[in-house]
Amino acid sequence: LAVPSSNGRDGAIVIDSLEGLMTVTGAVSAHGHVRLHVTTGSLLANANIQSVDKDISILVLRDITVTDGIDITTSSTGTIDIEALIGSITLSTSSDLITGSGDVRLLAGINITLGGYISTTGSVSATAVTGWIRDGDMDAGMDIYSFGLRLWSAIGVGQLGASVNPVETTSSVLSARVGTEGLNILETDQLLIGD
């Protein structure tokens, strides 16, 4: 799938696929909203997905994989919503999710592997329904910049024990719920623990 830009107009890009693997091989670029939907399959992003200042939605049943150097970006109040309903979300360590003040939401039926960084002055929500949320690298690079941060995982967020690897954050308010693997966050600034 290679989608041309909307050429400076405010038109949206909406692509629905009933099944199989949707592979993005050319940049998806719009001045309007972007929606990529796979009813019963997965999505592989090998090219950037961007909107000038509108919302981006990537909705699939199974897995979402974003490969090396590929970014998902919008600006202003544009939101980013990425959902793998019964699968996992895997972001490359060099892949970023960026908006201005819009919210960013990640929802995975299994696991979420964070990549380069997520950036917004709004809020970030990441939910791993049956799995974990982990940092994809072992360095001290920032994972999430946001005002509000909500991390919910059935198993855990970050890693403790023999393979210590925190999720690095710069956020003002944190809300978290985890299971048996616990919570490991490395915050760079002052932090308010919310509900």
Side-chain angles (χ1 to χ4, degrees):
L1 172 67
V3 180
S5 74
S6 57
N7 297 321
R9 303 175 187 274
D10 289 333
I13 293 175
V14 177
I15 300 173
D16 290 309
S17 176
L18 294 178
E19 59 184 338
L21 174 65
M22 180 185 291
T23 303
V24 179
T25 59
V28 176
S29 178
H31 281 250
H33 300 289
V34 174
R35 181 178 187 269
L36 305 179
H37 176 228
V38 186
T39 303
T40 62
S42 299
L43 182 137
L44 173 65
N46 288 329
N48 294 334
I49 300 170
Q50 62 186 19
S51 172
V52 172
D53 58 8
K54 303 298 183 183
D55 302 333
I56 296 175
S57 298
I58 301 174
L59 312 172
V60 309
L61 182 66
R62 301 189 184 279
D63 298 325
I64 295 172
T65 303
V66 182
T67 59
D68 289 347
I70 302 306
D71 299 328
I72 300 173
T73 62
T74 183
S75 60
S76 187
T77 59
T79 63
I80 299 174
D81 182 22
I82 300 177
E83 301 181 32
L85 295 180
I86 64 169
S88 295
I89 298 171
T90 304
L91 305 173
S92 162
T93 57
S94 57
S95 295
D96 303 326
L97 307 182
I98 303 170
T99 184
S101 60
D103 295 332
V104 178
R105 177 177 185 248
L106 305 179
L107 171 65
I110 307 177
N111 301 320
I112 297 174
T113 301
L114 299 173
Y117 64 86
I118 300 170
S119 178
T120 179
T121 60
S123 295
V124 172
S125 173
T127 302
V129 176
T130 63
W132 41 252
I133 300 171
R134 292 181 180 169
D135 185 1
D137 57 45
M138 298 294 290
D139 62 21
M142 194 58 51
D143 296 309
I144 301 172
Y145 299 91
S146 68
F147 174 78
L149 176 58
R150 174 188 180 275
L151 300 171
W152 282 41
S153 167
I155 296 178
V157 174
Q159 291 174 268
L160 296 165
S163 301
V164 175
N165 188 15
V167 172
E168 290 89 3
T169 66
T170 299
S171 299
S172 297
V173 182
L174 171 67
S175 171
R177 178 180 180 180
V178 298
T180 56
E181 287 190 1
L183 174 72
N184 188 3
I185 297 290
L186 179 58
E187 169 62 35
T188 64
D189 207 342
Q190 62 184 7
L191 183 66
L192 172 66
I193 305 298
D195 287 340

